[in-house]
């Protein structure tokens, strides 16, 4: 691979070493706090928050839902990791959701939640999020707050630039962080053959506009850079996706030095509508690929996992007009598109300016072939000056991410100088700056990446907390900070701890979510093959060493609650159906000594725990969720007899003396 007309400069480490950290220091926490902060974040008992914020859990692999402005944690939504709170990935029904081409992966790393969009606005139907380590995209149903679908992505190493929606959620798009040999290529190659054998791959996942069902539509094979983040165009730039890429040096070792040598890397612009047309014309190449597609069915309350075996690719070097590169200073990280779709803001994390590119000027430069070299002799690099609308001067050090409000302002996090900078989109003038505690990464304004921002708050996610909370040993909580941006000056209102490492969040007015909430699953519509609709249907069935227990739960007993005839060495499946048809009445289930822990069953749902009794004796079980005044009475016993014994299957709930 050849990149023409680009010069190397001194490693960026020198830049950092010589930079003065002018931002916040410990002890400055109250300097920019709003005097009425407590009043502004107080949500009275029984009242709802104004906004939902969905925040990635980072290395926890999950998503957390918070209420804003209070910062109250509402729910941890399990996605890519087993979750003992509600049995995700432990119950037989949900284990398939964590299946991959590498087998069962119990723990991943989640980064970027993305709300589905209609006409460029957040519509409150689904939330997508990437699995970063084992490359996957998940879809969460926001009427149930459950993960409905997880699609693995082939040919990807580190699914970081993902998932970002096009304007009407036609696609969610992901891109590789670590270029690597494609899955169907011979993978046993020297690492130092990087430039020859490694490739990047951009995945376009088609989303059904009614059901949200995902399907890998095609992948674009791109040069072996590190692709970092992305955003789709909107309005006039609807047809385009923009990605930042670094390591255009194509280094494969000691990247902190070797991937920071060039003065400029790139924003890659892809005309996805053109790619879609090429695929429709049969220009794609079908190649073998192995990846899991996992779907959760809300009627059976069960997941299935299917292994796909093919993908369709386009080599972008063979199709002129599909991809262009815009030079961007110093290892760009975030790329964001203004609400009107005209400005593309990229942030070089080692840069001291924020370049703002013009979509109109980009098209003009393409028409006039204002090129500054090519990549691989085929992919044009547009001249920086030709596509640049302007630079935000002296914003601070280490710009990372930008979002927009509804008043014509943009807000950018500065990682190195640890602050948030407010600037005007039309004239690129800095209006305000406020310290953040400490080293902010992403930020989120409700609707801040859409055509219709809801510009009252910005939530800033910090990478370091240091002295902000009571210490908890070596491992400190990570945090978000809430700023009021309704006035000219940003005002800090609140710090609140988060789960894992919060990478990014998307925020949406609560009214768009609340109206669609499912309060319980209708028992009559439960088609789980092990569901029972009443206590009369409960039973225990032996088939060889397999024993199926069809159990019900309702306030305040489990049925049956006395079960005999279980033998050492049996494989016992306890299928518990929650008969309740009321909101907020889950039941739990746990067996002493079961090495697969517990269950949590929502009203109308059926969930299964697999148990292998290994020793004879009486084994208690009980409800783990405090469900009623007589919750403690919600218990029962298994009798486990020696292997080979003749104790018959027997089950009951006894005789109710009151009814007698």
């Amino acid at each position: 691979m050849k990149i023409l007309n680009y010069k190397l400069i001194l490693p960026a480490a020198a830049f950092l070493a010589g930079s003065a950290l002018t931002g916040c220091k410990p002890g400055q926490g109250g300097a920019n706090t709003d005097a009425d902060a407590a009043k502004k974040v107080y949500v009275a008992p029984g009242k709802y928050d104004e906004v939902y914020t969905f925040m990635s859990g980072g290395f926890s692999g999950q998503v957390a839902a918070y209420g804003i402005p209070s910062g109250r944690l509402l729910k941890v939504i399990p996605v890519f990791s087993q979750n003992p709170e509600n049995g995700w990935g432990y119950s037989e029904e949900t284990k398939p959701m964590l299946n991959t081409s590498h087998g069962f992966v119990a723990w991943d790393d989640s980064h970027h939640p993305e709300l589905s969009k209609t006409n460029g606005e957040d519509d409150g139907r689904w939330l997508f999020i990437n699995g970063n380590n084992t490359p996957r995209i998940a879809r969460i149903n926001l009427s149930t707050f459950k993960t409905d679908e997880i699609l693995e992505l082939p040919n990807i190493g580190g699914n970081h630039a993902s998932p970002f929606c096009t304007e009407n959620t036609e696609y969610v798009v992901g891109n590789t962080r670590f270029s690597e040999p494609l899955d169907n290529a011979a993978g046993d190659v020297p690492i130092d053959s990087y430039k020859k054998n490694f490739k990047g791959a951009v995945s376009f996942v088609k989303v059904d506009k009614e059901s949200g069902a995902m399907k890998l539509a095609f992948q674009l094979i791109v040069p072996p850079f590190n692709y970092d983040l992305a955003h789709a165009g909107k309005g006039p730039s609807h047809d385009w996706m923009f990605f930042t890429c670094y390591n255009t040096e194509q280094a494969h070792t000691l990247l902190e030095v070797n991937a920071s040598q060039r003065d400029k890397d790139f924003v890659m612009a892809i005309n996805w509508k053109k790619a879609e047309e090429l695929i429709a014309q049969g220009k794609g190449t079908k190649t073998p690929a192995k990846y899991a597609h996992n779907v959760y069915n809300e009627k059976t309350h069960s997941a299935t996992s299917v292994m796909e075996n093919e993908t369709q690719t386009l080599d972008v070097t063979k199709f002129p007009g599909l991809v262009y590169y815009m030079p961007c200073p110093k290892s760009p990280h975030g790329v964001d598109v203004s609400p009107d779709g005209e400005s593309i803001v990229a942030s070089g994390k080692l840069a001291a300016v924020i370049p703002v590119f013009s979509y109109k000027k980009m098209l003009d430069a393409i028409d006039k072939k204002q090129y500054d070299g090519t990549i691989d002799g085929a992919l044009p690099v547009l001249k920086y000056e030709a596509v640049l609308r302007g630079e935000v001067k002296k914003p601070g050090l280490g710009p990372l991410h930008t979002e927009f409000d509804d008043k014509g302002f943009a807000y950018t996090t500065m990682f190195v100088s640890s602050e948030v900078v407010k600037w005007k989109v039309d004239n690129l003038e800095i209006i305000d700056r406020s310290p953040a505690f400490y080293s902010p990464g992403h930020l989120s304004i409700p609707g801040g990446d859409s055509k219709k921002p809801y510009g009252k708050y910005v939530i800033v996610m910090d990478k370091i907390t240091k002295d902000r909370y009571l210490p908890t040993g070596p491992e400190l909580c990570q945090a978000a900070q809430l700023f009021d941006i309704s006035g000219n000056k940003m005002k800090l209102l609140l710090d609140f701890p988060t789960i894992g490492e919060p990478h990014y969040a998307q925020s949406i007015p609560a009214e768009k979510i609340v109206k669609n909430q499912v309060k319980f699953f209708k028992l009559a519509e439960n088609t789980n093959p092990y569901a029972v609709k009443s206590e009369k249907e409960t039973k225990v069935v032996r088939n060889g060493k397999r024993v199926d227990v069809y159990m019900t739960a309702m306030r305040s007993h489990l049925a049956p609650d006395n079960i005999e005839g279980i033998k050492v060495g049996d494989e016992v499946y306890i299928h518990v159906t929650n008969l309740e048809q009321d909101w907020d009445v889950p039941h739990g289930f746990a067996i002493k000594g079961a090495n697969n822990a517990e269950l949590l069953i929502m009203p109308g749902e059926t969930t299964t725990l697999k148990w292998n009794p290994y020793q004879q004796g009486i084994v208690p079980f009980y409800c783990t969720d405090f469900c009623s005044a007589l919750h403690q009475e919600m218990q029962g016993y298994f009798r486990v007899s020696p292997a080979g014994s003749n104790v018959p299957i027997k089950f009951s709930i006894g005789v109710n003396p009151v009814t007698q």
Side-chain angles (χ1 to χ4, degrees):
M1 170 159 311
K2 295 180 180 179
I3 304 174
L4 304 181
N5 295 345
Y6 279 87
K7 299 177 181 178
L8 300 181
I9 64 167
L10 291 175
F15 166 84
L16 284 177
S19 62
L21 303 186
T22 57
C24 53
K25 297 177 181 177
Q28 294 183 336
N32 63 334
T33 304
D34 191 302
D36 294 326
K39 183 178 179 181
K40 290 182 176 179
V41 302
Y42 177 69
V43 178
K47 299 296 184 182
Y48 287 170
D49 279 287
E50 184 180 352
V51 169
Y52 281 99
T53 287
F54 298 99
M55 198 173 294
S56 64
F59 46 70
S60 80
Q62 318 293 42
V63 169
Y66 299 88
I68 297 296
S70 72
R72 297 181 295 195
L73 175 62
L74 304 175
K75 183 178 175 63
V76 174
I77 307 170
V79 187
F80 296 115
S81 300
Q82 287 182 296
N83 197 50
E85 182 182 8
N86 48 27
W88 180 258
Y90 290 99
S91 71
E92 296 305 299
E93 284 80 3
T94 57
K95 283 179 181 176
M97 293 299 285
L98 301 183
N99 192 36
T100 75
S101 62
H102 307 278
F104 184 82
V105 175
W107 189 1
D108 206 316
D109 178 28
S110 62
H111 275 225
H112 306 123
E114 174 85 347
L115 289 161
S116 56
K117 291 177 171 57
T118 300
N119 297 324
E121 298 180 23
D122 298 329
D123 59 26
R125 294 191 295 169
W126 307 301
L127 184 79
F128 302 92
I129 187 161
N130 61 323
N132 195 38
N133 181 26
T134 302
R136 289 172 282 177
I137 292 177
R139 178 175 57 84
I140 297 167
N141 184 338
L142 291 180
S143 69
T144 61
F145 281 52
K146 284 197 169 194
T147 302
D148 271 2
E149 192 172 10
I150 296 179
L151 179 66
E152 190 178 3
L153 301 176
N155 295 319
I156 299 289
N159 180 37
H160 191 266
S162 171
F164 296 94
C165 291
T166 53
E167 194 168 355
N168 287 296
T169 320
E170 296 95 337
Y171 296 95
V172 290
V173 184
N175 201 349
T176 188
R177 173 182 171 188
F178 313 110
S179 290
E180 60 182 23
L182 299 180
D183 290 355
N184 64 333
D188 184 20
V189 297
I191 297 174
D192 63 8
S193 69
Y194 184 101
K195 294 180 181 180
K196 176 183 177 183
N197 291 314
F198 288 46
K199 295 291 182 184
V202 189
S203 301
F204 283 79
V205 175
K206 189 72 177 174
V207 179
D208 184 273
K209 64 181 181 181
E210 299 298 330
S211 68
M214 301 188 294
K215 180 181 180 181
L216 180 57
F218 57 90
Q219 294 184 297
L220 305 183
I221 306 305
V222 294
F225 305 147
N226 287 48
Y227 295 87
D228 210 353
L229 282 166
H231 266 103
K234 50 179 80 85
S237 54
H238 168 85
D239 295 353
W240 294 79
M241 284 290 301
F242 303 96
F243 299 85
T244 50
C245 47
Y246 62 100
N247 191 24
T248 55
E249 298 85 351
Q250 300 172 58
H252 55 82
T253 182
L254 198 60
L255 262 64
E256 69 169 333
V257 175
N258 293 324
S260 305
Q261 299 181 68
R262 294 186 182 279
D263 181 48
K264 292 183 176 64
D265 292 287
F266 301 117
V267 170
M268 180 175 71
I270 291 179
N271 187 332
W272 66 264
K273 289 292 287 186
K274 183 176 180 66
E276 185 181 58
E277 291 167 5
L278 290 168
I279 291 293
Q281 294 166 10
K283 305 292 186 183
T285 301
K286 293 183 178 179
T287 58
K290 184 180 178 184
Y291 55 100
H293 188 185
N294 311 327
V295 178
Y296 187 83
N297 184 315
E298 289 185 0
K299 297 300 182 186
T300 64
H301 306 288
S302 305
T304 56
S305 178
V306 174
M307 202 59 65
E308 307 283 356
N309 53 26
E310 187 179 79
T311 185
Q312 192 168 196
T313 62
L314 282 175
D315 181 346
V316 299
T317 63
K318 298 179 179 177
F319 299 98
L322 190 55
V323 171
Y324 297 89
Y325 286 86
M326 296 188 283
C328 185
K330 299 185 182 302
S331 301
H333 187 54
V335 59
D336 303 278
V337 180
S338 60
D340 64 4
E342 294 284 359
S343 297
I344 301 138
V345 181
S347 296
K349 50 187 180 281
L350 303 177
V353 299
I354 304 173
V356 180
F357 300 102
S358 163
Y359 174 67
K360 289 180 181 175
K361 294 183 76 170
M362 184 191 84
L363 293 186
D364 191 52
I366 292 172
D367 286 343
K368 295 177 180 175
K369 299 186 185 304
Q370 294 176 302
Y371 300 159
D372 194 8
T374 60
I375 296 171
D376 277 353
L379 305 174
V381 177
L382 304 173
K383 287 186 177 179
Y384 182 67
E385 296 76 12
V387 294
L388 187 70
R389 183 166 76 80
E391 295 174 338
V392 180
K393 303 290 187 183
K394 298 181 180 179
L397 295 176
L400 287 190
H401 301 284
T402 298
E403 292 220 339
F404 306 89
D405 69 11
D406 56 348
K407 303 178 185 65
F409 296 102
Y411 301 78
T412 302
T413 48
M414 313 300 295
F415 181 82
V416 177
S417 54
S418 202
E419 57 189 330
V420 182
V421 173
K422 175 181 179 180
W423 51 277
K424 208 160 187 310
V425 176
D426 57 2
N427 62 13
L428 312 186
E429 177 186 351
I430 293 176
I431 303 299
D432 187 26
R433 60 178 67 240
S434 179
F437 304 90
Y438 306 94
S439 300
H442 280 276
L443 74 173
S444 172
I445 294 171
D449 73 335
S450 74
K451 291 172 72 173
K452 193 174 183 180
Y454 175 73
K456 186 174 180 181
Y457 302 109
V458 60
I459 300 109
V460 177
M461 286 143 274
D462 299 310
K463 299 301 183 187
I464 299 170
T465 52
K466 293 289 188 187
D467 57 355
R468 301 297 287 180
Y469 301 96
L470 287 172
T472 53
E475 183 185 5
L476 300 177
C477 67
Q478 303 203 23
Q481 294 188 295
L482 179 70
F483 289 82
D484 180 351
I485 58 171
S486 59
N488 288 331
K489 303 286 287 184
M490 292 178 283
K491 291 291 185 180
L492 178 60
L493 299 179
L494 179 71
D495 285 10
F496 57 97
T498 63
I499 66 163
E501 181 194 358
H503 278 269
Y504 182 42
Q506 291 247 287
S507 307
I508 184 171
E511 61 189 16
K512 288 192 174 185
I513 302 292
V514 171
K515 64 183 180 183
N516 296 323
Q517 289 303 288
V518 172
K519 296 184 175 179
F520 57 85
F521 298 107
K522 293 179 181 178
L523 190 61
E525 297 177 358
N526 182 339
T527 57
N528 185 300
Y530 300 102
V532 288
K533 306 298 176 64
S534 72
E535 290 183 7
K536 293 180 180 178
E537 299 176 20
T538 59
K539 57 187 176 182
V540 180
V541 178
R542 174 179 287 282
N543 184 8
K545 285 186 173 296
R546 175 175 173 132
V547 179
D548 289 285
V549 178
Y550 297 72
M551 183 179 287
T552 61
M554 68 179 299
R555 290 164 288 183
S556 296
H557 62 274
L558 297 156
D561 63 3
N562 278 215
I563 301 170
E564 301 186 29
I566 305 298
K567 301 174 188 178
V568 172
D570 280 345
E571 192 170 76
V572 183
Y573 294 84
I574 301 105
H575 316 285
V576 184
T577 300
N578 183 343
L579 298 180
E580 307 280 359
Q581 292 290 269
D582 193 6
W583 198 14
D584 196 21
V585 193
H587 289 296
F589 183 78
I591 302 175
K592 177 185 176 183
N595 58 14
N596 200 30
E598 307 171 11
L599 298 175
L600 188 68
I601 314 109
M602 295 299 113
E605 190 178 46
T606 300
T607 306
T608 301
L609 187 150
K610 181 182 176 182
W611 173 45
N612 296 99
Y614 67 94
Q615 64 182 10
Q616 67 185 65
I618 301 299
V619 181
F621 58 84
Y622 70 105
C623 173
T624 55
D625 192 299
F626 203 108
C627 54
S628 70
L630 296 177
H631 162 75
Q632 289 294 87
E633 284 73 9
M634 201 164 173
Q635 65 170 57
Y637 294 103
F638 281 106
R639 174 188 172 188
V640 180
S641 300
S645 68
N646 295 319
V647 178
I649 291 290
K650 179 182 176 184
F651 59 94
S652 70
I653 57 170
V655 177
N656 186 340
V658 176
T659 61
Q660 298 301 305

